[in-house]
Structure formats: C-alpha cells, structure tokens
Amino acid sequence: MLHPGLFTTLQDLGRQEGRKYGVPPGGVMDRFAHLAANSLVTNRPEAATLEITMQGPELLFLEKAVVAVTGVELEITVDDRPLPAWAALFVRAGQVLSVKRLVKGARAYLAVHGGFAAPVIMGSRATYIKSSLSGYKGLGRALRTGDRLASGPASVSHLASLAGKQWPPQRPIPAYSQSVSVRVIGGPFEEYFVEDAFEAFLATKYRLDSSSDRMGFRLNGSPLKFSLPEFELASYGAVFGTVQVPPNGQPIVLMADHQVTGGYPVIAVVQEDDLSLLAQLLPGDTVRFCRSEDSNSQGG
C-alpha cells in the first residue's frame, strides 16, 4: 500500500452472526457495486473488497492479479495509463494501480480475483471501526501506508484470461447522482405522527448533513410533526434503510453500521434496491422519497 486514500477499508456483505451479541451487521454501503466488482473477477459474492471513500488508494502489486473497480464515476490508472472502471483488469507484478479520485459520489469498490484475505470474525471480514473489529489483520481499522494485502488462491491457471470482461449493459448501473429519489414503504408507527406526516415526508427534499456516517445518514428538511408530545417505545430490531425520526423531527436513515435495535418511531424503510443510490451521497447532496410502487428516478 503506497497510499491508502482518504478512508479505505476491507468490507464484505456483513456479519449477521453478530446481532445476538449486539454487534452491527456492517459490511459494504453500496451492495450493487461490491457484488459487481466481485462478479467481474469471478469471485463469490461474499468475498472481501476494498471500500474506497472519496479519494482512492495507490497500490503496488507484488504479484500479478486481476482486479475490478466499480462504484461512482472515477479515474483509474495502472502505471499512469488510464483504464476503465466496471471492467476486469490484468495487473502485472511491479505495476502500480491508482484510483485517482471519485468524480461524483462517495464510494468505489476494488475487488481482486481470489478475494482479499482477512480473519473471519462472527462470519465476516468486514471492518467495524468503532469496535476495532475485523478487517485488515483483524485490527478493525482503515488501511495505512505500508500495509500488505494478500488475496486468496486463484481459481484459474491463467489469470490473464479473466481480463477484459466488462459489466453487461443488460444489467444497468445505478443512476448515481448528487440528487436522487429513492423508494420507501411506510413505517409501522403511524400513530406517533400527525395524520399528514408521511405525505409531508414524501413532499420534502432533504439535504444530507455533515454529521452523517456509516452508521446513519442525518437529513435536514422540514421537521416532521408528532401526534404525541412525549413517547416511549420498546426497542425493536433495526435494518439497513430504516428511517427513524428523533424528537427534533429530522429523519435519520440507518446505514450499514447501524445499531441492532432502535428506539425512535419509524416513518419508512428504504427499498433495498435503492440503498446503493443513497449510499453514494455526500454531505450537501439531496434526496427525495417516493412510495415503493412509484417508478424510481434520478434527480430530485
């Protein structure tokens, strides 16, 4: 690792085994991009990838490899030669791959054939920073300059034969944008909100707050109103995409590192297919919500 980028971690599809111990599932924020990167290099879906945030790493390859980088619009070079994203790339020993920058959006995913090696803890290799759990050498931290990443064994005898594969056009890449519309279904706590709260929620363009992180996206817009001046809820099981509303009326969307249980009223849950659009937003970007039966569209 010549340069780690701004915030690069090892991630996979998360750890469901940790829920009973109160450990968040974690894993990748953009499942579509992660799965696509693994598919391009013929990995299993659960293989670990590098989740790259905003600014990419610079990697010196000590052995030949086949890699793929997916996610938002970005610039990739191998020995300063531009190469495409969403494609399987052959890298020779001694070459340097750089993810220069993410042009629009928050995250990219780098997969290597064989998957990145890391200790499996509670069924996952996903890095959970807040508990220093798993990820690189089990240390639970972002990658640093000088780190050495290993991959699993190759499943083919000639790695170069995997190169050149591109993401198929019949499987559209999500319409990543700085202003998105995502589908939701109504939440189970209608009695805690005023009668027109859900319609107000759908009518509002929300802006992503700078305090947002992998645990939750805090949204700023017209505050939602409660029907009860005070309320107390029994804890309930939380999932990726749950839209909670704390006492200030400003929604919080639970993201990959969300807590296992929640205590605020839920006004909606984001449809799973649209979580990738949400995951790529940066502070200041905007989102609108629409009913799940409505057609998903880019723009807000």
Side-chain angles (χ1 to χ4, degrees):
M1 178 73 66
L2 300 179
H3 189 281
L6 183 64
F7 185 75
T8 303
T9 58
L10 278 169
Q11 299 291 348
D12 59 16
L13 294 177
R15 54 175 54 81
Q16 298 306 315
E17 293 179 19
R19 283 183 175 270
K20 59 186 176 183
Y21 304 111
V23 178
V28 294
M29 291 277 278
D30 183 342
R31 289 174 64 95
F32 186 98
H34 162 87
L35 292 170
N38 273 330
S39 174
L40 284 164
V41 298
T42 68
N43 285 346
R44 294 175 62 87
E46 63 270 20
T49 61
L50 297 186
E51 182 175 85
I52 298 161
T53 305
M54 293 179 64
Q55 178 187 344
E58 190 172 55
L59 304 169
L60 170 64
F61 282 76
L62 302 180
E63 297 179 0
K64 62 185 178 181
V66 172
V67 303
V69 185
T70 61
V72 294
E73 184 180 348
L74 47 85
E75 297 177 0
I76 309 163
T77 64
V78 172
D79 287 350
D80 294 323
R81 179 167 62 95
L83 289 173
W86 296 86
L89 310 173
F90 180 70
V91 183
R92 295 178 174 83
Q95 289 190 310
V96 174
L97 183 148
S98 299
V99 180
K100 295 293 186 181
R101 65 189 181 103
L102 309 190
V103 179
K104 292 180 182 178
R107 294 172 176 85
Y109 293 84
L110 191 156
V112 61
H113 176 70
F116 287 103
V120 177
I121 299 176
M122 298 181 190
S124 172
R125 296 179 173 87
T127 306
Y128 181 44
I129 296 289
K130 291 184 178 181
S131 292
S132 300
L133 180 70
S134 200
Y136 178 72
K137 292 188 175 181
L139 299 174
R141 63 165 173 80
L143 296 179
R144 300 173 182 171
T145 299
D147 285 349
R148 286 196 170 198
L149 296 165
S151 62
S155 61
V156 296
S157 56
H158 299 289
L159 275 177
S161 65
L162 300 177
K165 181 181 178 182
Q166 296 184 330
W167 189 247
Q170 63 269 29
R171 300 180 65 186
I173 295 169
Y176 298 124
S177 172
Q178 295 169 299
S179 183
V180 299
S181 176
V182 301
R183 293 166 290 183
V184 296
I185 58 172
F189 297 99
E190 292 182 9
E191 68 272 21
Y192 289 91
F193 299 96
V194 298
E195 186 175 351
D196 62 350
F198 188 66
E199 295 303 321
F201 171 69
L202 297 180
T204 301
K205 177 187 280 190
Y206 290 99
R207 193 170 299 277
L208 191 64
D209 190 81
S210 60
S211 63
S212 301
D213 58 18
R214 281 179 47 90
M215 182 176 180
F217 278 7
R218 295 180 179 270
L219 306 178
N220 294 322
S222 299
L224 298 172
K225 297 179 180 179
F226 297 100
S227 60
L228 303 175
E230 296 181 6
F231 52 82
E232 185 174 339
L233 293 175
S235 294
Y236 54 82
V239 298
F240 194 170
T242 297
V243 185
Q244 296 182 328
V245 184
N248 67 2
Q250 300 289 0
I252 302 171
V253 186
L254 301 187
M255 302 302 286
D257 284 349
H258 66 82
Q259 67 273 27
V260 175
T261 60
Y264 293 136
V266 174
I267 196 164
V269 178
V270 177
Q271 186 165 309
E272 185 176 1
D273 290 347
D274 289 353
L275 287 171
S276 289
L277 293 176
L278 199 62
Q280 293 292 358
L281 297 183
L282 290 168
D285 292 345
T286 60
V287 57
R288 284 187 183 273
F289 299 94
C290 63
R291 289 182 177 84
S292 61
E293 63 267 23
D294 295 338
S295 176
N296 186 38
S297 62
Q298 179 178 335

